[in-house]
């Protein structure tokens, strides 16, 4: 009897182990299928998002121009303490590198890189390269200082040594209106050249203004759409989504026509005798905010509307039945339930507004240009990818901080888009 019981128990244990193995095999197969389905999207995100962002951040701190075209100078300045002018070997190295660069037609790249840190030095580098190519014997120190006085200034050599490193903090510091002096200490950019902090603050201010205006306009409209019968609300929703059927450029150009001095809006204002002369609507902060608000309004409205549609009217009716007035019931019961939608819509609008370029360029004035416009100028006109990458990286970090704050206060899981 005992042997039979032991055999039965052994069979049960064996069947249980076999069942566990089958379940594990099924789970592995399920995970493998899920991985195969997700893999294309994952690769797409890596190729189209992660790699470009990584390249952007790298370009903000990576610039091997001086190391590549002035290798002798970089090596000669490796042991220089930076307190006085370097020795004769460093001057000889500079003369050799500039002469070789002038012969190879790469001297302009050296001048361009150094001109970022020392304004106006590019022409002097070009002239030094032409003359250094003719030098055949020393002493090089006197010869180079005789060519141009910049070679007798410690700041020039300090910049050369810092720029000789493949990785540099110059672009990031410059984007924050900071820099390094001849001793390597942090120093504020001169007031006449300090524009980037003001530019970032202006971008944040315009984006925040647009976000607030779209909220003030979108919240009542979303409430109306949520309260109306479905057929009527659907018809009005089509009108809300109508701007999506035209491109951003077309909508901005339309506002350019409407807001100009002889446009429809100014003509109507003068016809109604509200003003004797055209109001400055175009090329102003007002025109920028109005055009951006028109474009961004649906992005704020839709998340709020989708949350409002899920709120049962019985909640407010219950509050009213317990003695609450209309406003009190709305403010204490209905409004808190809409906060996730408000936060999602405002976050979406604010982040999109940070990257605006076309609208401020067309309807804004010189004091209304945003960070994206300067980034485009740095890439297209100046061919300064380091500067563009640094500005873009700082804007990206600001966006991530905003997202982190939102996630801490509201929670990303509470976003509802429909």
């Amino acid at each position: 009897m005992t042997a039979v019981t032991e055999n039965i128990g052994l069979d049960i244990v064996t069947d249980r182990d076999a069942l566990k193995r089958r379940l594990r095999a099924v789970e592995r197969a399920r995970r493998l299928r899920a991985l195969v389905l997700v893999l294309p999207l994952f690769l797409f995100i890596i190729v189209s998002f992660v790699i470009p962002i990584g390249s952007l951040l790298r370009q903000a701190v990576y610039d091997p121009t001086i190391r590549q075209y002035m290798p002798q100078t970089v090596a000669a300045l490796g042991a220089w303490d930076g307190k006085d002018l370097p020795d004769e070997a460093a001057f000889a190295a500079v003369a050799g590198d500039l002469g070789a660069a002038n012969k190879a037609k790469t001297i302009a790249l050296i001048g361009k890189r150094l001109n970022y840190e020392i304004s106006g030095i590019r022409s002097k580098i070009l002239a030094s390269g032409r003359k250094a190519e003719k030098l055949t014997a020393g002493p090089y120190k006197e010869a180079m200082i005789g060519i141009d006085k910049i070679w007798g200034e410690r700041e020039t050599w300090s910049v050369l040594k810092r720029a000789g490193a493949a990785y540099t903090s110059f672009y990031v510091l410059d984007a924050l209106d900071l820099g390094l002096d001849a001793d390597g200490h942090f120093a504020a950019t001169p007031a006449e050249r300090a524009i980037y902090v003001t530019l970032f603050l202006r971008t944040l201010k315009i984006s925040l203004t647009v976000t607030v205006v779209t909220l003030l306009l979108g919240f009542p409209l979303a409430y109306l759409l949520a309260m109306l019968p479905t057929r009527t609300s659907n018809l009005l929703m089509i009108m809300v989504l109508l701007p999506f059927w035209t491109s951003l450029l077309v909508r901005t150009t339309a506002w350019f026509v409407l807001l100009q001095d002889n446009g429809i809006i100014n003509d109507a204002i003068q016809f109604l005798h509200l003003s004797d002369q055209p109001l400055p609507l175009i090329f102003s902060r007002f025109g920028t905010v109005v055009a951006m608000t028109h474009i961004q309004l649906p992005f704020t409205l839709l998340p709020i509307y989708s949350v409002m549609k899920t709120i049962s009217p019985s909640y407010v009716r219950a509050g009213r039945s317990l003695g609450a007035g209309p406003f009190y019931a709305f403010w204490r019961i209905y409004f808190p339930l809409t906060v996730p939608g408000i936060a999602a819509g405002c976050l979406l609008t604010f982040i999109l507004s940070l990257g605006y370029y076309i609208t401020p360029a067309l309807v804004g004035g010189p004091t209304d240009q945003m960070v994206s416009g300067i980034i485009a100028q740095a890439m297209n006109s100046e061919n300064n990818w380091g500067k563009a990458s640094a500005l873009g990286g700082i804007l990206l970090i600001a966006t991530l901080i905003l997202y982190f704050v939102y996630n801490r206060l509201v929670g990303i899981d509470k976003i509802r888009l429909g």
Side-chain angles (χ1 to χ4, degrees):
M1 187 68 180
T2 303
V4 174
T5 304
E6 290 178 354
N7 290 334
I8 294 174
L10 183 60
D11 292 339
I12 293 175
V13 171
T14 303
D15 293 341
R16 184 185 303 165
D17 293 340
L19 179 60
K20 288 181 178 180
R21 287 193 295 271
R22 286 196 295 270
L23 290 175
R24 284 196 292 267
V26 171
E27 181 67 17
R28 284 195 300 269
R30 186 186 66 81
R31 291 180 179 178
L32 182 60
R33 286 196 299 270
L35 178 62
V36 171
L37 293 175
V38 172
L39 187 60
L41 178 60
F42 179 75
L43 293 176
F44 176 78
I45 293 175
I46 293 293
V47 173
S48 63
F49 184 76
V50 176
I51 293 179
I53 292 297
S55 177
L56 167 74
L57 297 177
R58 184 173 183 267
Q59 287 286 340
V61 296
Y62 181 73
D63 189 344
T65 302
I66 301 301
R67 175 175 288 271
Q68 180 178 354
Y69 296 114
M70 301 186 70
Q72 299 179 65
T73 303
V74 171
L77 292 178
W80 179 51
D81 58 7
K83 295 180 180 179
D84 298 308
L85 291 178
D87 56 17
E88 175 69 13
F91 281 90
V94 162
D97 284 334
L98 291 180
N102 186 71
K103 186 176 181 179
K105 309 300 182 184
T106 58
I107 188 71
L109 297 176
I110 298 174
K112 178 183 175 182
R113 171 63 183 88
L114 296 178
N115 196 70
Y116 293 154
E117 301 200 42
I118 304 178
S119 181
I121 200 176
R122 182 177 183 274
S123 59
K124 298 179 180 181
I125 293 294
L126 296 179
S128 297
R130 289 193 297 268
K131 296 178 181 179
E133 187 179 357
K134 300 176 183 178
L135 293 179
T136 57
Y140 290 98
K141 183 174 183 178
E142 289 78 5
M144 291 303 297
I145 295 176
I147 290 175
D148 200 295
K149 293 181 180 180
I150 60 170
W151 302 112
E153 299 175 2
R154 188 165 62 96
E155 181 186 5
T156 303
W157 294 96
S158 297
V159 171
L160 261 177
K161 182 174 181 178
R162 289 199 303 269
Y167 290 89
T168 175
S169 61
F170 165 74
Y171 295 111
V172 176
L173 292 177
D174 189 54
L176 297 173
D177 287 335
L178 295 173
L180 298 175
D181 58 20
D183 296 319
H185 301 145
F186 289 105
T189 302
E192 63 274 11
R193 294 175 51 202
I195 63 172
Y196 297 117
V197 171
T198 302
L199 183 66
F200 278 112
L201 293 177
R202 180 194 305 159
T203 300
L204 294 174
K205 183 179 180 180
I206 293 176
S207 300
L208 182 61
T209 302
V210 172
T211 302
V212 172
V213 174
T214 56
L215 176 61
L216 294 177
L217 295 175
F219 188 91
L221 182 56
Y223 181 77
L224 176 65
L225 293 174
M227 295 295 106
L228 288 175
T230 303
R231 184 175 180 180
T232 306
S233 65
N234 288 342
L235 179 61
L236 294 178
M237 183 58 70
I238 292 176
M239 299 178 65
V240 171
L241 298 177
L242 190 62
F244 284 133
W245 298 354
T246 55
S247 70
L248 184 146
L249 181 60
V250 171
R251 282 176 278 172
T252 302
T253 305
W255 278 110
F256 181 86
V257 174
L258 292 173
L259 295 174
Q260 57 186 321
D261 292 345
N262 58 346
I264 296 176
I265 297 178
N266 264 316
D267 287 348
I269 290 175
Q270 295 179 73
F271 177 79
L272 297 173
H273 301 288
L274 299 177
S275 176
D276 297 331
Q277 56 186 359
L279 299 179
L281 305 180
I282 195 68
F283 306 132
S284 65
R285 183 67 53 86
F286 174 81
T288 301
V289 172
V290 167
M292 290 177 62
T293 299
H294 171 247
I295 297 169
Q296 287 298 131
L297 182 59
F299 293 99
T300 304
L301 183 147
L302 291 175
I304 300 175
Y305 169 74
S306 66
V307 171
M308 287 182 173
K309 288 293 290 184
T310 64
I311 301 175
S312 174
S314 61
Y315 296 161
V316 177
R317 288 198 297 266
R320 295 292 306 278
S321 67
L322 293 175
F327 177 78
Y328 188 83
F330 172 84
W331 183 251
R332 294 300 300 272
I333 299 174
Y334 191 86
F335 181 79
L337 296 175
T338 65
V339 169
I342 293 174
C346 291
L347 178 69
L348 185 61
T349 292
F350 186 80
I351 290 177
L352 291 176
S353 298
L354 289 175
Y356 263 68
Y357 161 58
I358 295 178
T359 303
L362 289 180
V363 301
T367 59
D368 302 312
Q369 301 309 304
M370 301 170 69
V371 173
S372 297
I374 304 301
I375 293 175
Q377 179 183 343
M379 290 190 298
N380 299 329
S381 301
E382 304 174 12
N383 197 26
N384 189 344
W385 286 85
K387 173 183 173 180
S389 299
L391 292 171
I394 293 174
L395 195 61
L396 173 64
I397 292 173
T399 304
L400 292 177
I401 292 175
L402 176 66
Y403 173 83
F404 176 78
V405 172
Y406 168 82
N407 191 37
R408 295 285 294 180
L409 296 179
V410 180
I412 193 64
D413 58 311
K414 294 183 180 180
I415 290 183
R416 300 177 184 177
L417 299 178

